[in-house]
Each structure stands twice: as C-alpha cells, then as structure tokens.
C-alpha cells in the first residue's frame, strides 16, 4: 500500500475553482483504486508555522496506481484548477514490509 497525503492552503478568492477540482478529482482517484481515508477542513495544527486549511489522505494499492492516476489524461485535464486555487504540499508514504 502507498499513501498520498496533501495539506492545502486555500486562496479564498479562488475557492470556486478549488471546489470544482474537489468534485472532479474524487471519481478519477477512485477509478485508479484510490480510497479516501480523510478529506477535511477540520484541521488542528500542532506547529505554529504549518497551518493548512484542508488535509487529504488517500490510500492506493500501489505506487504504480498512484502514478497512473496523477499522470492520467483525466487528471491532467483538471490539474490547473488545483494549481490556480491552492498551495498544496504533498507526500507519498509507502508502507514498509
């Protein structure tokens, strides 16, 4: 298993674009075997310099499926909605065997 973790800093003036991205990305992720474990704006930061407004945690069956998802034509078609509306910081975490 591999986990995709993202924290986002939302530009309030561009919230509409981000909301469109949120709606469009979920079925794409799920079509590649991604399972949302958390998608929430109820975030409490424990670090004064890191205060994201939204956190997303997605589990994929493999790193190959994760990479296929985020390099797919479907995802690339909506990627700009995220890029123009949020500052997103992502991590990929692979389970140790």
């Amino acid at each position: 298993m591999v986990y995709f973790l993202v924290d986002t800093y939302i530009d309030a003036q561009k919230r509409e674009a981000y909301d469109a991205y949120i709606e469009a990305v979920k079925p794409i992720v799920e079509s590649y075997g991604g399972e949302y474990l958390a998608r929430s704006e109820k975030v409490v930061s424990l670090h004064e310099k890191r205060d994201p407004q939204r956190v997303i945690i997605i589990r994929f069956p493999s790193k190959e499926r994760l990479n296929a998802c985020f390099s797919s034509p479907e995802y690339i078609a909506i990627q700009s909605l995220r890029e123009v509306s949020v500052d997103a910081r992502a991590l990929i975490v692979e389970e140790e065997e």
Side-chain angles (χ1 to χ4, degrees):
M1 293 287 178
V2 64
Y3 298 87
F4 185 72
L5 296 82
V6 182
D7 57 65
T8 60
Y9 302 80
I10 303 165
D11 182 335
Q13 295 177 345
K14 299 177 181 177
R15 182 63 199 232
E16 191 173 311
Y18 186 56
D19 287 342
Y21 171 80
I22 290 170
E23 185 176 326
V25 75
K26 187 174 188 277
I28 297 168
V29 165
E30 290 173 344
S31 75
Y32 285 87
E35 177 186 357
Y36 283 91
L37 302 179
R39 290 174 92 191
S40 181
E41 292 181 20
K42 295 179 180 179
V43 178
V44 176
S45 176
L46 301 177
H47 191 283
E48 65 185 48
K49 294 183 180 179
R50 186 174 183 174
D51 192 18
Q53 288 119 338
R54 183 175 176 84
V55 172
I56 301 97
I57 303 171
I58 308 168
R59 179 174 51 208
F60 281 90
S62 68
K63 192 171 182 182
E64 292 77 21
R65 297 299 290 165
L66 180 150
N67 290 335
C69 175
F70 293 113
S71 63
S72 71
E74 301 91 350
Y75 183 78
I76 291 169
I78 66 163
Q79 184 175 2
S80 65
L81 291 172
R82 177 188 52 78
E83 291 172 344
V84 301
S85 61
V86 297
D87 174 10
R89 299 177 186 160
L91 297 168
I92 296 172
V93 179
E94 295 184 62
E95 274 190 5
E96 291 188 25
E97 296 181 27

